[in-house]
Amino acid sequence: MSEKHFKPEELTAIGYQPRRRDWMDPHVEFRRGTFNYSANPKSMEYLGLPFVRKWQPTEDDWQLPSNWKEIILEGLRERIHKFRSLRIFMDICVRCGACADKCHFYIGSGDPKNMPVLRAELLRSVYRKDFTTAGKILGKMAGGRELTVPVLKEWFYYFYQCTECRRCSVFCPYGIDTAEITIIGRELLNLVGIGIDWITTPAANCFRTGNHLGIQPHGFKDSVDFAADDLEDITGIKVNPSVNRKGAEVLFVVPSADYFGDPHYFGFLGYLALFHEIGLDYTFSAFASEGGNFGLFHSHEMMKRLNAKIYAEAKRLGVKYIIGGECGHMWRVLHQYMDTMNGPADFLEVPKSPVTGTVFENARSTKMVHIAEFTADLIKNRKLKLAPERNDSYKVTFHDSCNPARAMGLLEEPRYILKSVCNHFYEMPENTIREQTFCCGSGSGLGTDENLEMRLRGGFPRANAVKYVQQNHGVNLLVCICAIDKATLPPLMDFWAPGVAVAGLHELVGNALMMKGEKEREADFRGAPLPGKEEKVHV
Amino acid sequence: MKIFYSLLAVAVLITLAWVGTASGGLYYLFGVIFPAAAVFLFLFGIVYRVVKWARSPVPFHITTTCGQQKSLDWIKSSPLDNPSSTLGVIGRIALEVLFFRSLFRNTKMELKNGGKLVYGSAKYLWLAGLVFHWSFLIIILRHFRFFLEPTPAFVTFLQNLDGFFQVGVPVLFLTDIMILGALSFLFFRRVVTPQIRYISLISDYFPLLLIIAIAATGVLMRYFIKTDLIAVKQLMLGLFSLSPLVPEGISSLFYIHLFLVSLLLAYFPASKLVHMAGVFLSPTRNLSNNSRMKRHINPWNPPVKVHTYEEWEDEFRELIKGAGIPLEKE
Ligand code: SF4
Ligand code: SF4
């Protein structure tokens, strides 16, 4: 599977006319490139998940436990009683269709079951059949569907063609959030041992080692040291990040891709440079070496299990508060779930910037500050010396990651920073940014190679908007604040908008930051010559 | 097929009421028993639904934020689209309920040749929805002149406003035209747009057709086939004062109208129409975005199996030591 198999023209030949076949009639075809492989039994075992077995979606027999139907219906009953969201979202959709063409998977695939309303109806029809009086009596006439194996297969296919991005929820007159339905739908599937490997294995890794990539403590330390060396090469300044140091003021938590992935890594250098420059007393933790949380893509329970280490580690190390790096779904969990699940964080203090004295009242309870909030405050208070012209070779646009945009509202902070650290910033069209931003198409654990066709389709609306600013303003750099974006936007750009690179916000901050005592920089963090220094760097 | 079934259902219901009163003389049944039962079902049903919703807790703070959060002092936040206070939430819900804020954002995606996506403004659904709901509300309020004696001042006021243009005798009500226009749009949109037709169920067509039939019979009675209004008012006052009586001389058309209204009331709580109540309880809209400022409590928050630091250190002790990372236990 590689993107060479198709051309953009082929993927944009999309028919939006629904098929003849009534959607109530369950039907799904597992075409290579549009679904994810099943969870590795070893990872399931490690996490203590039920019904461990070897199976693949393409097989006819999924080897379901004999009482699978009771398990799922019981699971649904339980969740209807536990989540008002679910119960209300099952009851009040009027099928107005306002959400239909808001989903990037529908736009990119034309598959009617990718309209958020129908994605939800896949579950809703079963709910109607088994949990409403009308459905029990009238069945199909009342929009009810029997839960059968084909229906279950449909759930699997379409709940893993939703990136839980919540764009549909913005447009729904009742705020019906299909992500919530997908999250619970996946939870139900996991009850009978149906999960995908790209979620289960990172979750198992994270549970064991502390991070999704399964990097062990020494590996983590090496990465941090390696980054410090790299930064010294570029700036001439030796920074001294610590790991598991007790008594530091701040615990800094990042998604693991930041210290292992590319282009994440350049942003990681940016963090190191920034914190050194302001003299922040901070430490990393090799145990809490992951801010991201693939548990969110698995179940509420798994989310809580993986998230627990952050507060535990903050407590053990005796820090005052926590700063979190650039990551989308990580911030969904930190902002909307962590305090509820694993709080109260009464052993921490309300975050206060040691440099500007600003008290982050908005993080008064969780005690966890987003790095963009932290940096924006530094810049506003003129605590950083910046040379935005060092980023002059970049024409920049900003991709709002779904979760910071629609589950937080972190819209202006990154923009303020960007405008301070680079001179050429262009917004994408209005309907594709801020709360209306389009997903990268690979979020919520769908970013695997086996799912590439679907990712390219789902990422099409995002890429299309980038292409627009590329053509109109010559944009060549797409900045974002999400680890999944940084991993999955580069292949997306190569396919739809070749010539646009992807970078983290703090990579540009690091480039522009004039550090005390630094040597004359020749190249930026990714090794490209700085404007005006082209001839000196050997490529 | 679904459209046909829905049409058939409404036609059968109309026939029932017509035959039942015109030939069967079942005035008491259609004039008193059905309406009373319907009101009871409506009230009971709505309370039942809302109580059921309310009994499921809101475990997590899952606000959908549609604007800038409240963070640093110097960054302007959006108090209505991303409220951080209760007042903001009230404002957000009010905008949603009174003006359909979210629907106002609606766009229409189009894939142009050459693979270009464009998003056009698409306010028709918003407009039709708004016109329908507001007209419906005003019409219901206007009907209070049949239920209350003397007619309250605000009803007279609404009536005058609604008939502002003083066209025709009896004066033409604007809302009558608007509701029929909006309903027709909503119905045809459902039938004509392939995607919307694809997602529509009987339970989408049926209530639309039912309300169209109610509006149509109402309009017929007011402007074309007059019925004895004094008698109607007697019937309604009797119902509302719980001392029912069935005056003579009320046309079958009126009974059809009343029967359809009764059905709508009875059907309301069991159908998607409960969105009227549900919109207030939707957790993505009625929570403030203050989840980092204030701890939200989940009433069920069972302990889960976690991997503790101690277990982690035990497993990796040698590696941690080798890397020079501090240990708890040497
Ligand atoms: S916008 Fe909301 S109410 Fe309308 S179809 Fe979608 S989920 Fe249902
Ligand atoms: S949450 Fe996102 S991916 Fe899922 S249905 Fe809604 S718009 Fe589509």
Side-chain angles (χ1 to χ4, degrees):
Chain A
M1 277 285 122
S2 99
E3 60 254 51
K4 286 187 204 82
H5 285 257
F6 12 73
K7 301 195 186 85
E9 308 83 83
E10 286 163 19
L11 289 198
T12 51
I14 306 165
Y16 292 103
Q17 286 289 328
R19 305 174 196 120
R20 278 263 157 120
R21 187 197 280 265
D22 189 345
W23 69 263
M24 284 242 177
D25 189 3
H27 175 75
V28 53
E29 191 191 320
F30 288 92
R31 198 158 46 82
R32 272 179 74 95
T34 64
F35 66 92
N36 293 271
Y37 297 149
S38 65
N40 183 335
K42 270 206 203 116
S43 306
M44 291 178 71
E45 236 151 50
Y46 186 77
L47 290 167
L49 299 177
F51 304 112
V52 177
R53 64 190 186 278
K54 269 206 153 91
W55 68 282
Q56 282 304 342
T58 41
E59 289 160 6
D60 261 352
D61 182 6
W62 285 12
Q63 303 166 51
L64 294 163
S66 57
N67 59 340
W68 70 271
K69 201 173 149 177
E70 287 85 80
I71 297 177
I72 291 207
L73 290 179
E74 186 45 42
L76 181 55
R77 177 187 319 280
E78 187 190 328
R79 282 160 184 79
I80 288 167
H81 288 108
K82 277 163 112 179
F83 295 90
R84 186 180 300 166
S85 52
L86 180 66
R87 171 155 244 160
I88 295 225
F89 295 165
M90 289 293 105
D91 283 337
I92 63 172
C93 170
V94 295
R95 285 167 296 278
C96 68
C99 57
D101 58 356
K102 308 305 180 289
C103 175
H104 51 282
F105 280 119
Y106 176 65
I107 298 176
S109 73
D111 184 339
K113 286 178 189 157
N114 270 328
M115 295 190 243
V117 45
L118 268 199
R119 195 187 313 288
E121 288 281 310
L122 299 180
L123 178 62
R124 209 177 269 133
S125 52
V126 170
Y127 165 83
R128 280 194 291 258
K129 172 84 181 60
D130 285 279
F131 298 94
T132 68
T133 321
K136 277 182 202 156
I137 300 167
L138 296 171
K140 214 173 159 183
M141 290 278 276
R145 280 204 309 180
E146 186 83 39
L147 178 58
T148 59
V149 172
V151 168
L152 192 79
K153 292 189 174 184
E154 254 185 350
W155 283 10
F156 176 81
Y157 193 64
Y158 291 104
F159 292 159
Y160 287 97
Q161 275 183 19
C162 164
T163 44
E164 304 176 353
C165 78
R166 312 176 92 211
R167 188 170 193 266
C168 46
S169 167
V170 168
F171 294 90
C172 172
Y174 319 116
I176 292 177
D177 180 5
T178 314
E180 186 78 353
I181 292 165
T182 295
I183 290 172
I184 290 172
R186 290 184 183 184
E187 230 175 85
L188 294 174
L189 290 169
N190 276 304
L191 291 180
V192 291
I194 299 178
I196 67 170
D197 198 48
W198 194 252
I199 291 171
T200 312
T201 293
N205 285 338
C206 195
F207 196 65
R208 175 166 177 251
T209 63
N211 58 73
H212 294 144
L213 301 172
I215 299 160
Q216 301 186 356
H218 60 300
F220 177 74
K221 178 81 167 45
D222 283 351
S223 307
V224 175
D225 291 345
F226 193 79
D229 291 344
D230 266 358
L231 191 64
E232 188 176 6
D233 288 347
I234 299 166
T235 63
I237 291 177
K238 177 86 191 143
V239 301
N240 218 340
S242 58
V243 175
N244 288 18
R245 176 166 62 88
K246 284 193 173 178
E249 183 176 353
V250 174
L251 169 64
F252 183 42
V253 179
V254 299
S256 54
D258 275 7
Y259 49 87
F260 239 77
D262 173 347
H264 313 63
Y265 182 69
F266 311 125
F268 190 72
L269 298 180
Y271 305 148
L272 295 186
L274 175 74
F275 288 167
H276 175 87
E277 181 60 17
I278 60 169
L280 186 72
D281 176 20
Y282 76 105
T283 186
F284 287 104
S285 161
F287 174 54
S289 50
E290 178 67 75
N293 191 326
F294 270 45
L296 166 65
F297 312 145
H298 183 280
S299 60
H300 285 91
E301 184 188 344
M302 193 63 71
M303 177 185 357
K304 184 173 172 185
R305 287 172 69 181
L306 299 187
N307 173 261
K309 63 178 180 271
I310 295 182
Y311 276 152
E313 199 55 353
K315 192 169 187 179
R316 186 184 72 85
L317 295 173
V319 299
K320 287 190 181 149
Y321 63 97
I322 315 169
I323 298 181
E326 296 178 8
C327 187
H329 72 280
M330 155 175 163
W331 272 99
R332 170 106 208 257
V333 176
L334 300 177
H335 184 75
Q336 297 198 323
Y337 295 101
M338 177 164 77
D339 203 6
T340 299
M341 286 182 160
N342 290 312
D346 43 15
F347 47 89
L348 296 174
E349 291 172 17
V350 178
K352 179 176 171 187
S353 171
V355 185
T356 63
T358 300
V359 178
F360 292 91
E361 285 291 344
N362 64 324
R364 166 172 3 115
S365 180
T366 33
K367 326 282 200 303
M368 186 145 185
V369 178
H370 193 289
I371 184 140
E373 295 165 349
F374 189 78
T375 305
D377 171 62
L378 291 172
I379 296 176
K380 179 73 182 177
N381 286 290
R382 302 180 181 284
K383 298 295 179 190
L384 304 179
K385 266 185 87 180
L386 298 168
E389 58 282 1
R390 286 190 194 162
N391 285 316
D392 272 356
S393 50
Y394 299 119
K395 292 205 155 67
V396 178
T397 192
F398 182 67
H399 161 64
D400 288 276
S401 310
C402 310
N403 288 294
R406 286 186 283 262
M408 245 179 127
L410 185 90
L411 308 174
E412 290 306 333
E413 293 86 346
R415 285 178 168 77
Y416 177 77
I417 296 172
L418 259 185
K419 288 174 192 160
S420 312
V421 298
C422 75
N423 290 319
H424 308 289
F425 171 64
Y426 305 93
E427 290 277 17
M428 284 181 271
E430 197 186 2
N431 293 116
T432 69
I433 53 168
R434 298 176 190 266
E435 70 274 7
Q436 299 197 23
T437 187
F438 274 111
C439 182
C440 61
S442 307
S444 83
L446 308 186
T448 66
D449 282 349
E450 73 243 23
N451 190 35
L452 189 65
E453 180 188 330
M454 214 54 218
R455 288 169 52 196
L456 294 175
R457 288 184 179 280
F460 170 56
R462 169 37 75 226
N464 210 256
V466 176
K467 198 167 168 184
Y468 177 85
V469 281
Q470 182 189 28
Q471 286 171 344
N472 286 281
H473 304 290
V475 161
N476 59 7
L477 191 70
L478 176 59
V479 170
C480 57
I481 46 170
C482 170
I484 291 181
D485 283 338
K486 290 174 203 169
T488 65
L489 287 174
L492 191 75
M493 290 302 120
D494 288 346
F495 185 79
W496 293 112
V500 179
V502 176
L505 180 63
H506 279 77
E507 175 183 341
L508 298 199
V509 172
N511 280 340
L513 185 68
M514 299 170 78
M515 300 172 74
K516 286 179 234 55
E518 71 178 9
K519 69 175 191 192
E520 191 176 343
R521 292 199 207 174
E522 304 288 332
D524 65 17
F525 281 5
R526 51 180 70 198
L530 287 179
K533 308 273 180 186
E534 286 84 355
E535 68 291 353
K536 291 189 195 153
V537 175
H538 304 286
V539 187
Chain B
M1 252 346 226
K2 290 173 187 162
I3 309 171
F4 174 74
Y5 281 137
S6 313
L7 266 169
L8 188 72
V10 175
V12 167
L13 293 169
I14 291 177
T15 319
L16 258 176
W18 184 42
V19 175
T21 50
S23 347
L26 302 169
Y27 298 113
Y28 200 76
L29 184 68
F30 283 91
V32 177
I33 297 188
F34 282 155
V39 170
F40 172 77
L41 280 176
F42 176 77
L43 294 176
F44 176 80
I46 290 281
V47 171
Y48 178 77
R49 284 308 275 267
V50 171
V51 167
K52 229 170 160 183
W53 286 333
R55 278 174 58 186
S56 294
V58 180
F60 302 109
H61 218 93
I62 54 163
T63 325
T64 302
T65 60
C66 299
Q68 171 62 34
Q69 65 170 350
K70 184 167 161 45
S71 56
L72 298 160
D73 291 342
W74 48 274
I75 293 179
K76 206 174 156 301
S77 68
S78 315
L80 289 172
D81 284 328
N82 188 350
S84 61
S85 67
T86 313
L87 203 66
V89 169
I90 294 173
R92 188 179 199 194
I93 294 278
L95 276 184
E96 206 63 85
V97 173
L98 300 177
F99 304 110
F100 303 1
R101 167 78 182 97
S102 294
L103 214 46
F104 187 71
R105 291 193 186 94
N106 198 22
T107 53
K108 190 171 162 20
M109 172 276 303
E110 232 183 298
L111 180 59
K112 298 267 191 212
N113 280 343
K116 221 180 194 161
L117 286 170
V118 288
Y119 309 93
S121 140
K123 301 264 187 276
Y124 287 115
L125 177 60
W126 169 79
L127 189 69
L130 202 68
V131 167
F132 159 59
H133 283 85
W134 274 106
S135 306
F136 204 14
L137 179 69
I138 294 173
I139 291 172
I140 292 170
L141 293 176
R142 271 208 273 102
H143 276 65
F144 274 78
R145 73 181 186 279
F146 299 118
F147 314 150
L148 300 171
E149 186 60 54
T151 304
F154 81 93
V155 175
T156 321
F157 172 74
L158 269 182
Q159 203 169 311
N160 291 340
L161 203 66
D162 203 351
F164 181 73
F165 290 109
Q166 303 274 337
V167 184
V169 181
V171 167
L172 182 67
F173 287 136
L174 271 182
T175 47
D176 286 348
I177 300 185
M178 295 204 295
I179 199 171
L180 282 174
L183 283 167
S184 316
F185 174 84
L186 292 172
F187 182 74
F188 283 112
R189 172 180 175 274
R190 228 177 238 297
V191 177
V192 171
T193 322
Q195 287 84 356
I196 310 295
R197 189 171 61 233
Y198 192 71
I199 61 175
S200 294
L201 301 172
I202 293 181
S203 47
D204 298 311
Y205 295 116
F206 175 69
L208 253 179
L209 288 170
L210 187 63
I211 300 173
I212 289 176
I214 291 173
T217 46
V219 163
L220 272 180
M221 263 187 297
R222 177 168 170 84
Y223 303 102
F224 305 102
I225 310 170
K226 299 283 158 53
T227 192
D228 183 348
L229 284 183
I230 313 265
V232 166
K233 185 153 186 174
Q234 270 179 340
L235 176 78
M236 297 317 292
L237 284 176
L239 262 177
F240 272 71
S241 59
L242 300 181
S243 43
L245 73 164
V246 183
E248 300 267 312
I250 302 181
S251 68
S252 278
L253 187 55
F254 170 77
Y255 283 109
I256 293 174
H257 185 71
L258 185 62
F259 181 55
L260 295 179
V261 171
S262 308
L263 274 165
L264 182 69
L265 283 172
Y267 176 73
F268 201 99
S271 69
K272 69 168 192 179
L273 303 177
V274 282
H275 67 263
M276 177 192 85
V279 59
F280 292 95
L281 278 105
S282 175
T284 57
R285 291 288 187 270
N286 76 0
L287 292 172
S288 58
N289 179 35
N290 65 354
S291 38
R292 270 189 297 155
M293 301 174 198
K294 216 174 147 241
R295 181 155 185 253
H296 179 81
I297 304 292
N298 175 0
W300 52 269
N301 188 19
V304 294
K305 190 173 178 305
V306 297
H307 193 201
T308 64
Y309 173 83
E310 289 70 26
E311 289 163 336
W312 179 84
E313 186 178 293
D314 285 346
E315 182 172 352
F316 297 108
R317 182 170 316 281
E318 290 313 311
L319 295 169
I320 299 172
K321 209 169 175 175
I325 302 172
L327 284 158
E328 285 287 328
K329 280 193 297 205
E330 284 301 326

